[in-house]
Amino acid sequence: MSGPSGFTDAELVRACRAGDADAWNELVERYSRYVYAIAVRGFRLSDEDAEDVFQDVFTRIYTRLDSLREDSALRPWIAQLTRRRCLDAIAARREVPAEELTEEGSTDLTEIEEAFEVREALTSLSGACQDILDRFFTRDQSYKTISDELEIPSGTIASRIARCLGRLRETLEGRNPADGGSRE
Amino acid sequence: MTNDDYLELQLGDLLDRLAADGLAPGGGSAAALTVAFAARLVAMVSRCSTGWSEAPGVVAQANAIGERAVELAHTDGRVWEEALIALRDAEAKESADARRDFALEQKLEAAAAAPLEIASLGADAAALAALAGEHGEATYRADAAAAAALAAGGATAAAHLVRVNLGVRSADPRLARARASEEAARDVAARLLESHR
């Protein structure tokens, strides 16, 4: 995955280890939603507990980044840290040892992983594609509203969205990882 | 009973509910569900059109429109029922009450907002049907025309409810929006139906 700096996860880890403050900010920005999603959607923690997990996970990332053996394995490592910390939080509420808890009952984390992968793939699309997909699928804007605000013919909106989805799919399937040349 | 998930009901139960007691679901919910039918029909046509490169993207949009339409069916049922109760309450009391009249007006405003969105979704479903009718597998193009007709029906019914719920304020821009959605959907339907005669 790459963000504003264009760093992959492995590059980001190396920059963080070198003490680059901007890289730390980017790491938090890149993974904050992910950690929250696992805590709130995956384990159904309260906002208060999720906030505690969030703080604790990023503190651990900061203090233990040197223990990460494979720099490119940042995401699975963060996922593991978050899952463990969520189980700790649940155990504390129920007053039982965390070792006695399993992830049974938590929402399938695969869905969260998939959502995160889609979000990652979206960042590789052109700005125009990201914008039109966000407007239709996230903000629920009608074709008419999109047409009016972007000043493009209403009759072409659905086709543009379909083409952008096609590029997103190709990116997700790894057939077209570098979608930089599109003007869509 | 308006909090029931319409998707969880048997079709017969949903139809019985529509015919039952004058409460939700009513015309707005029926219009929204008609748009949902239209959208899902477009998804079917597109999914069956394997030679059309944009088909998967159209399926995704049609499904999104269908899901929004079902949500609006619930929303419309809820706000319409609240407006109906407020209206009956106002009619039962003869003396003027400014606060009550204001509350009723707010309820009617809310009751107009949902059909306005339903009409807009109807126009979008019709636009997708037009694409499917043009590029979809020839065998299923008649279904695309049927989808456009359903979408136009939903949009027309919803626009009518916007007019009724907003009363006599003909200069209200929401009326123009509703009318524009209705006309857009009807134009597409007329064109597609004509091409399949």
Side-chain angles (χ1 to χ4, degrees):
Chain A
M1 179 183 185
S2 62
S5 65
F7 283 165
T8 63
D9 276 357
E11 289 164 345
L12 195 60
V13 167
R14 282 193 284 278
C16 288
R17 283 197 182 114
D20 182 339
D22 289 340
W24 276 111
N25 289 336
E26 188 172 332
L27 187 147
V28 174
E29 171 68 24
R30 193 178 287 188
Y31 282 102
S32 56
R33 284 188 190 190
Y34 183 59
V35 169
Y36 263 122
I38 293 174
V40 175
R41 290 184 52 199
F43 287 86
R44 299 188 180 88
L45 296 189
S46 65
D47 287 346
E48 187 186 347
D49 284 343
E51 180 62 31
D52 288 345
V53 166
F54 180 87
Q55 298 289 346
D56 194 58
V57 165
F58 281 100
T59 301
R60 284 169 195 238
I61 292 169
Y62 187 80
T63 56
R64 298 181 186 181
L65 195 60
D66 285 338
S67 69
L68 178 62
R69 274 176 274 179
E70 185 69 48
D71 289 355
S72 61
L74 179 64
R75 179 144 63 101
W77 184 57
I78 291 176
Q80 188 184 35
L81 281 177
T82 309
R83 284 198 298 267
R84 282 186 188 160
R85 192 58 195 87
C86 287
L87 289 173
D88 287 343
I90 293 167
R93 288 267 181 228
R94 294 186 194 167
E95 298 182 346
V96 295
E99 299 75 40
E100 291 181 13
L101 294 175
T102 67
E103 292 182 18
E104 247 176 74
S106 65
T107 301
D108 187 358
L109 298 182
T110 311
E111 200 177 299
I112 295 170
E113 288 290 333
E114 284 174 358
F116 198 74
E117 280 167 17
V118 169
R119 189 166 161 265
E120 279 182 22
L122 272 171
T123 63
S124 72
L125 299 184
S126 65
C129 264
Q130 289 183 47
D131 185 32
I132 203 166
L133 292 178
D134 177 61
R135 285 171 182 274
F136 184 78
F137 288 104
T138 309
R139 290 191 258 163
D140 290 349
Q141 288 189 346
S142 68
Y143 297 144
K144 173 80 167 59
T145 301
I146 295 172
S147 166
D148 289 347
E149 292 188 4
L150 298 183
E151 296 180 341
I152 47 182
S154 177
T156 66
I157 305 290
S159 279
R160 284 171 191 257
I161 293 172
R163 287 197 293 275
C164 289
L165 284 172
R167 295 197 180 105
L168 180 65
R169 186 178 185 171
E170 286 170 1
T171 303
L172 282 166
E173 290 174 351
R175 289 204 300 251
N176 186 18
D179 185 1
S182 166
R183 288 185 298 167
E184 192 70 66
Chain B
M1 299 297 276
T2 51
N3 289 328
D4 283 355
D5 186 342
Y6 296 154
L7 293 180
E8 298 295 320
L9 292 174
Q10 296 281 342
L11 181 57
D13 292 337
L14 178 61
L15 294 175
D16 286 345
R17 187 72 61 79
L18 261 176
D21 55 8
L23 292 175
S29 299
L33 294 173
T34 302
V35 172
F37 272 110
R40 296 298 180 156
L41 205 46
V42 172
M44 181 275 280
V45 172
S46 306
R47 193 171 276 119
C48 294
S49 302
T50 51
W52 179 24
S53 64
E54 291 178 6
V58 173
V59 172
Q61 291 173 75
N63 286 339
I65 289 170
E67 284 170 17
R68 279 177 215 161
V70 172
E71 282 172 24
L72 279 170
H74 289 111
T75 304
D76 184 87
R78 180 174 49 76
V79 295
W80 178 66
E81 205 164 83
E82 287 172 4
L84 197 63
I85 290 166
L87 195 59
R88 285 176 181 168
D89 183 50
E91 285 171 353
K93 294 167 185 164
E94 290 177 359
S95 60
D97 182 334
R99 186 186 296 175
R100 187 194 62 212
D101 289 348
F102 178 74
L104 174 61
E105 192 173 321
Q106 295 294 104
K107 300 278 186 197
L108 289 172
E109 291 264 329
L116 184 59
E117 294 306 313
I118 294 165
S120 173
L121 271 186
D124 284 355
L128 272 188
L131 264 188
E134 188 179 349
H135 301 285
E137 193 82 40
T139 315
Y140 299 100
R141 285 183 188 169
D143 290 294
L150 288 170
T156 303
H160 172 68
L161 294 173
V162 173
R163 275 191 290 274
V164 170
N165 290 333
L166 287 178
V168 293
R169 287 169 288 181
S170 58
D172 194 306
R174 287 171 292 184
L175 280 179
R177 273 184 57 202
R179 199 175 296 124
S181 295
E182 174 189 354
E183 285 172 5
R186 289 171 70 149
D187 284 351
V188 169
R191 187 158 42 83
L192 278 184
L193 290 170
E194 185 59 36
S195 70
H196 284 92
R197 283 194 199 285

